[in-house]
Amino acid sequence: MSLFRGPSVTVAAAQMRIDPGMREENQARAAELLSTAAEQDADLVCLPASFATGLNFPTLRADATTSDGPVVQFLADQARGLGIHIAAGVLLADGRDVFDAAVLVGPSGEPLGWYRRACVWAGESDHVSPGAPGTAIDTPVGRVGLLVGYDIRFPEAGRQYLLQGVDLIVCVANLFGPYSHPVRSICRARAADNECALVFSSGVGENRFAGMSYLGRSMIVDGLVQDASQDAEADVLAEAAPAERDTVVHAQLHWRQRRKVRDRLPFHGDVRSTWSTTFQGGS
């Protein structure tokens, strides 16, 4: 703990190879990365989207799990055993629907909150159901907002998190590399848009059905950096190489200090008047 900055929180992004449909193998790989992050004193560790199964249309329903199914139980056991918070992507079955979802699990093993990806691209809409904008989750490691994969492309998907004053957005992802060159810049923009830190935890490997590789490039960025004249990369706190497999990057954050910085900036207040007058017809 710093006298001036307050207690710190260490957040970690796990980048891992996801083998389609091989749940036990993927979970074993994830367990090793979670253990590595815990050894680095991480308080919150983030795993990619659909980390246990991948997202493949031919096996979608077979791969999906319920909110109390084996994938969520694995996360609960890991969080409890390691004494950490875990944010992870889960292919979630709910009745006739399948959602590309994220869950935040606390050290007790209990889910603290769920989010279902809101932005579904046209080619998958017959397979994946759209969710709704998320709600911030208050935790001992900060006020957290969740996003999944394709959401990162749309400022609207996370705009409510600025209004809700989150400390951190976690985007669990598994995006196709050939379509994702702008994602690094977009992650930095989403953090700045919402005056918060952002963790982008991304998978690597191949989607054999689509015939494309996944992006990687897991990172942790700081959206409160205002002057980068001495270092153009000052907002990138940690980053994995694009094709690096099974690795963990981490960064230390001080929420008390960061909230003071945010309170001195005009954007959080201005967005309310701007949103009201421009988008909601106010005067």
Side-chain angles (χ1 to χ4, degrees), residues 34-152:
L34 292 169
S35 179
T36 297
E39 290 170 1
Q40 297 171 347
D41 295 323
D43 301 291
L44 167 64
V45 188
C46 308
L47 294 170
S50 56
F51 80 96
T53 59
L55 194 161
N56 295 279
F57 297 154
T59 61
L60 192 75
R61 293 196 174 276
D63 291 337
T65 186
T66 59
S67 61
D68 59 354
V71 175
V72 181
Q73 187 58 55
F74 164 80
L75 294 170
D77 292 343
Q78 290 293 314
R80 192 182 303 113
L82 295 170
I84 58 176
H85 291 76
I86 301 173
V90 176
L91 200 57
L92 177 66
D94 186 357
R96 297 177 60 85
D97 292 312
V98 175
F99 297 94
D100 194 8
V103 63
L104 179 61
V105 179
S108 68
E110 293 297 318
L112 303 178
W114 281 89
Y115 168 74
R116 303 172 180 194
R117 174 158 59 95
C119 299
V120 175
W121 52 276
E124 65 179 354
S125 59
D126 290 337
H127 307 275
V128 177
S129 297
T135 301
I137 306 166
D138 286 308
T139 80
V141 294
R143 190 166 171 81
V144 180
L146 300 174
L147 294 176
V148 178
Y150 196 42
D151 287 328
I152 200 71

Side-chain angles (χ1 to χ4, degrees), residues 191-225:
D193 286 347
N194 293 289
E195 292 190 303
C196 65
L198 184 145
V199 177
F200 179 74
S201 182
S202 180
V204 295
E206 302 289 329
N207 184 303
R208 292 189 293 271
F209 176 73
M212 285 186 283
S213 60
Y214 291 118
L215 174 66
R217 301 215 76 143
S218 296
M219 65 181 68
I220 302 168
V221 296
D222 180 0
L224 287 173
V225 172

Side-chain angles (χ1 to χ4, degrees), residues 37 44 66 80 101 119 139 167 173 192 200 226 230 241 252 254 261 283:
L44 167 64
T66 59
R80 192 182 303 113
C119 299
T139 80
D167 300 303
F200 179 74
Q226 300 300 306
Q230 301 302 312
Q252 192 177 71
H254 295 79
V261 171
S283 58

